[in-house]
């Protein structure tokens, strides 16, 4: 079981170019705290376009879904957006069973995600 | 000619005392996933059991014990020290999971979850919460809540092997709840 980690890859040009956020491990009621803080920090640096890469995420709870929804709402309010990239089969299935694949933009690769955010 | 009647198999029971710490959720998930797998559950059923238990335990930590985050814990210290109890029964036809907390319930009006994913999405929210109980109801075949305001809440969930389900894949339009027989219902979700 991989521990939770967040890696942020900021573009050389800074905002409004999108920032990549790579999540590894699990996003549950415990780890969402650090995720929320990191997302707030990125928004304070004026990023409004987020690519959330979750190929390394093995689990997401309702708390994780909730913080992603809040992030989406916050970005939309600032005329920004976010795209989720490469969910694992398990995570994708959970999102699909609950109906969130109709809410979140989910892409297979980062390049497609960048195009969606242009 | 005599008829063979197989002996009754007693359920296999486990009792686990869990500390009231959100960092324990990952350990609990691995434990329940292992038990559910040995009980014969695989694939989507396994994931759903894992998630339902995670939601129930997180619910207890956050709402019964007011565990906000590790820096600002508050509320029911006496109850929190007792943690939660996770009881598992592996039966021939499925799995029964009981999660018991010893926390106190605050304002019952605050303990309302969402009725459907559409309800969750429709509301103008600053925080998106209230999904956990809906997940329990949709992912498990039976869910029951029993709350005693002075003694805590027990959530009992059952997942049956090969039980036909009325709706296999709930959609964003929401679906009917599973069996739910609250004595007093705690409807707050994580």
């Amino acid at each position: 079981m991989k521990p939770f980690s967040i890696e942020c890859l900021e573009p050389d040009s800074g905002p409004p170019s999108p920032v990549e956020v790579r999540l590894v491990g699990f996003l549950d009621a415990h780890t969402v705290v650090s995720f929320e803080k990191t997302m707030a920090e990125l928004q304070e640096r004026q990023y409004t376009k987020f690519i959330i890469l979750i190929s390394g995420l093995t689990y997401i709870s309702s708390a994780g879904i909730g913080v992603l929804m809040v992030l989406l709402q916050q970005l939309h309010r600032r005329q920004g957006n976010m795209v989720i990239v490469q969910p694992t089969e398990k995570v994708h299935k959970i999102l699909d069973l609950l109906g969130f694949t109709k809410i979140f933009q989910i892409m297979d690769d980062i390049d497609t995600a960048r195009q969606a955010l242009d | 000619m005599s008829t063979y009647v197989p002996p009754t198999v007693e359920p296999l029971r486990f009792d686990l005392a869990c500390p009231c710490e959100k960092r324990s959720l990952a350990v609990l998930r691995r434990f329940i996933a292992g038990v559910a797998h040995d009980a014969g559950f695989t694939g989507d059923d396994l994931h759903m059991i894992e998630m339902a238990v995670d939601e129930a335990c997180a619910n207890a930590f956050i709402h019964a014990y007011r565990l906000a985050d590790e820096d600002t814990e508050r509320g029911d210290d006496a109850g929190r020290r007792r943690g939660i109890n996770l009881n598992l029964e592996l039966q021939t036809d499925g799995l029964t999971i009981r999660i018991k907390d010893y926390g106190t319930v605050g304002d019952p009006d605050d303990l309302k979850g969402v009725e459907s994913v559409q309800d969750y999405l429709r509301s103008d929210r600053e925080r998106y919460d209230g999904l956990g109980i809906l997940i329990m109801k949709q992912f498990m075949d039976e869910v029951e809540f029993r709350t005693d305001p002075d003694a805590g809440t027990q959530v009992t969930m059952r997942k049956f092997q090969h039980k036909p389900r009325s709706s296999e894949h709930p959609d964003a339009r929401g679906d009917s709840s599973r069996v739910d027989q609250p004595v007093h219902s705690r409807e707050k979700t994580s």
Side-chain angles (χ1 to χ4, degrees), chain A residues 106-117:
Chain A
I106 299 176
M107 308 285 173
D108 291 332
D109 58 77
I110 293 176
D111 289 338
T112 307
R114 289 186 185 282
Q115 291 172 14
L117 290 172

Side-chain angles (χ1 to χ4, degrees), chain A residues 2-115:
Chain A
K2 291 183 178 179
F4 178 69
S5 67
I6 307 175
E7 181 185 2
C8 300
L9 301 177
E10 298 183 53
D12 292 335
S13 55
S17 295
V19 57
E20 288 179 30
V21 178
R22 297 169 180 258
L23 303 181
V24 173
F26 47 88
L27 195 59
D28 67 2
H30 176 58
T31 57
V32 291
V33 176
S34 57
F35 178 77
E36 280 185 300
K37 288 180 182 176
T38 305
M39 296 304 101
E41 289 168 0
L42 289 172
Q43 290 186 74
E44 285 173 7
R45 294 209 286 278
Q46 305 306 311
Y47 286 103
T48 58
K49 296 179 181 180
F50 285 60
I51 297 173
I52 311 293
L53 180 61
I54 59 171
S55 57
L57 202 67
T58 57
Y59 178 81
I60 187 167
S61 74
S62 67
I65 293 171
V67 295
L68 289 174
M69 285 298 301
V70 168
L71 177 63
L72 183 64
Q73 181 188 60
Q74 291 171 339
L75 296 177
H76 280 177
R77 285 176 179 170
R78 299 172 64 192
Q79 285 74 55
N81 208 346
M82 64 173 252
V83 176
I84 292 174
V85 176
Q86 295 178 352
T88 60
E89 183 179 344
K90 175 183 173 181
V91 169
H92 189 277
K93 193 58 182 274
I94 293 295
L95 294 175
D96 192 44
L97 284 172
L98 294 170
F100 286 95
T101 50
K102 300 175 185 177
I103 306 303
F104 296 124
Q105 288 190 79
I106 299 176
M107 308 285 173
D108 291 332
D109 58 77
I110 293 176
D111 289 338
T112 307
R114 289 186 185 282
Q115 291 172 14

Side-chain angles (χ1 to χ4, degrees), chain B residues 80-91:
Chain B
R80 190 184 303 126
R81 281 193 291 273
R82 295 188 66 178
I84 63 172
N85 179 261
L86 185 66
N87 172 272
L88 304 171
E89 278 189 24
L90 277 72
Q91 296 135 338

Side-chain angles (χ1 to χ4, degrees), chain B residues 9 21-22 33 38 40 43 56 68 82 90 99 114 122 132 143 148 160 174 180:
Chain B
V9 178
E21 296 188 44
K22 287 189 283 183
D38 285 352
R82 295 188 66 178
L90 277 72
I99 294 157
V114 295
R122 186 179 299 125
V143 179
D148 181 330
F160 297 103
D180 183 357

Side-chain angles (χ1 to χ4, degrees), chain B residues 62-79:
Chain B
I62 295 168
H63 301 300
Y65 293 140
R66 314 291 196 273
L67 196 66
D69 59 52
E70 277 62 38
D71 294 330
T72 59
E73 295 181 14
R74 64 189 191 281
D76 187 357
D77 290 330

